[in-house]
Amino acid sequence: MQKTVSVVIPCYNESEVIDYTVEELLNVTNSIEGYQFELIFVNDGSADDTEAKLLNYSKQHEIVRLISFSRNFGHQPAVSAGIEAATGDAVVLIDADLQDPPHLIKDMIELWEKGYDVVYGTRENREGESRFKLASAKWFYRILNYLSEVSIPLDTGDFRLMDRQVVNQLNAMPEKNRFIRGMVSWIGFNQTSIRYQRNARFAGETKYPLRKMLKFGLDGILSFSVKPLKLSIIMGFISSGIALLMLLYTVYVRLATDHWQSGWASMLVAMLFIGGVQLISIGILGEYIARIYNESKNRPLYIVKKNLGQKNDDETSRSS
Ligand code: UDP
Ligand code: MG
């Protein structure tokens, strides 16, 4: 039996480019022999005629499917819906604006057949983006990687192929603030990358204004690191340490010299002490909140790849 590959394309107000995208994807998938394809377009509440166009294509071509949201929910929810609806043995995520070259799907499939479970595209070069976007993206991926407990590949977006077993794990993760590229890293299995030049947008303009970029960046950092929560406990200890030194100095000035003022020492000692205690207390709260947060994400405790020497050696995972 032929394997099926699903391609998920989130679309938000992409009327200007969608005809080219559909055509290009149909061409590419037609040219790859030996596989069945389904193209799942997720219309994320577009206000233009993206939905009408896609509806038309879905009537013309059997492999085109359409999911349409009731309003704009955002890129990551749109991708999640597509992944959930996909029936393929592998799922490819690709943007609707042809920034990620569709012909790479062939290379991704080849690597998948060699045994890789995730093949992600790493951007070697990005054309047609503002300086601000380039610099902020560059720093974002580096800070995220530093903060995160799993290593998340640098300069890598959602353009990727995932094997069915990775997709199943992804679907089983119930968290609401989804940062898919991080979740896929977290899931593990055999992952590899292909490097590519990211083109400029084929038509239209970015659907990621600063506001959405910030939300997305915060989701990434906060979903994959509790280090910001732990910051105050570190600050608490540092400031308490400094306070202790100042405290000793204050007492020394009060007792051993004669240029002190009345009330100065007692007030400063009280202030420094309370400041330190407050920061440490907030830090302790942070530690508890970090634990509650991690529990509430409800990710599996671990994911088993192989379990040899047992009767039932299915891939299994256990919920925490
Ligand atoms: N997108 C979406 N919902 C949104 C914003 C974007 O589905 O709220 C889609 C968009 O149609 C495109 C992809 O997500 O297919 C990436 O968006 P865009 O190209 O505007 O982002 P950029 O490449 O500029 O970061
Ligand atoms: Mg784009």
Side-chain angles (χ1 to χ4, degrees):
M1 241 207 38
Q2 275 189 335
K3 289 182 184 169
T4 306
V5 176
S6 310
V7 183
V8 170
I9 313 106
C11 310
Y12 177 53
N13 292 345
E14 299 288 9
S15 178
E16 280 171 77
V17 67
I18 202 70
D19 299 317
Y20 302 98
T21 311
V22 173
E23 194 188 301
E24 181 80 16
L25 284 171
L26 286 172
N27 282 341
V28 166
T29 50
N30 259 329
S31 73
I32 305 175
E33 279 170 24
Y35 297 90
Q36 266 187 317
F37 285 92
E38 61 176 357
L39 306 179
I40 305 179
F41 289 88
V42 184
N43 167 40
D44 183 14
S46 299
D48 59 10
D49 60 351
T50 303
E51 183 180 13
K53 284 187 172 180
L54 286 172
L55 199 62
N56 239 333
Y57 285 117
S58 72
K59 284 178 190 151
Q60 287 166 24
H61 304 275
E62 216 183 308
I63 71 166
V64 174
R65 291 174 59 188
L66 171 63
I67 298 172
S68 215
F69 282 178
S70 58
R71 64 170 173 84
N72 179 234
F73 281 90
H75 175 228
Q76 298 287 302
V79 173
S80 301
I83 297 173
E84 221 163 294
T87 60
D89 303 292
V91 177
V92 175
L93 311 180
I94 190 167
D95 282 356
D97 56 4
L98 296 177
Q99 279 195 291
D100 312 314
H103 68 83
L104 284 179
I105 293 176
K106 187 159 191 252
D107 304 328
M108 289 180 166
I109 291 177
E110 275 166 19
L111 282 165
W112 171 50
E113 289 293 1
K114 283 191 185 145
Y116 289 103
D117 301 295
V118 177
V119 185
Y120 53 83
T122 297
R123 304 152 179 172
E124 220 157 45
N125 208 324
R126 301 178 76 164
E127 278 169 33
E129 311 260 32
S130 69
R131 266 204 163 143
F132 172 73
K133 177 115 179 183
L134 290 179
S136 58
K138 180 175 171 204
W139 281 103
F140 168 67
Y141 286 115
R142 276 149 190 87
I143 292 172
L144 176 67
N145 204 281
Y146 168 73
L147 289 175
S148 162
E149 283 115 50
V150 286
S151 104
I152 297 174
L154 300 174
D155 307 319
T156 298
D158 286 329
F159 182 37
R160 57 186 61 218
L161 176 147
M162 298 177 289
D163 182 76
R164 172 51 53 188
Q165 62 180 345
V166 174
V167 171
N168 287 346
Q169 295 295 343
L170 203 55
N171 288 339
M173 288 164 85
E175 59 200 81
K176 299 284 183 294
N177 288 301
R178 297 177 86 76
F179 185 70
I180 291 165
R181 56 199 76 168
M183 292 162 76
V184 173
S185 295
W186 186 90
I187 288 170
F189 294 105
N190 299 338
Q191 308 210 357
T192 189
S193 73
I194 42 180
R195 307 184 72 80
Y196 72 106
Q197 311 278 331
R198 192 161 214 241
N199 303 323
R201 205 172 223 287
F202 191 78
E205 47 194 51
T206 178
K207 307 300 178 303
Y208 255 101
L210 187 63
R211 176 178 56 84
K212 279 188 183 169
M213 252 163 73
L214 282 177
K215 151 109 176 70
F216 179 68
L218 266 182
D219 273 353
I221 289 173
L222 299 185
S223 301
F224 282 87
S225 175
V226 287
K227 282 188 188 143
L229 268 177
K230 302 189 171 193
L231 207 64
S232 49
I233 206 161
I234 297 166
M235 271 165 32
F237 277 111
I238 292 174
S239 82
S240 298
I242 296 171
L244 189 72
L245 294 179
M246 283 178 69
L247 215 142
L248 292 176
Y249 171 72
T250 311
V251 174
Y252 160 79
V253 171
R254 169 67 181 81
L255 295 180
T257 69
D258 52 9
H259 53 266
W260 53 276
Q261 293 195 327
S262 85
W264 177 75
S266 55
M267 205 160 92
L268 210 64
V269 167
M271 250 173 61
L272 291 170
F273 180 72
I274 289 174
V277 168
Q278 271 176 343
L279 273 174
I280 292 178
S281 313
I282 294 173
I284 293 171
L285 278 181
E287 291 288 328
Y288 279 100
I289 292 174
R291 279 168 176 71
I292 296 172
Y293 179 55
N294 277 332
E295 293 288 338
S296 70
K297 274 191 287 199
N298 222 353
R299 290 184 189 166
L301 199 55
Y302 50 77
I303 298 170
V304 176
K305 186 161 131 192
K306 277 201 188 71
N307 192 348
L308 300 176
Q310 273 187 7
K311 250 191 176 166
N312 176 6
D313 65 351
D314 282 349
E315 279 90 354
T316 43
S317 68
R318 213 193 84 190
S319 281
S320 54

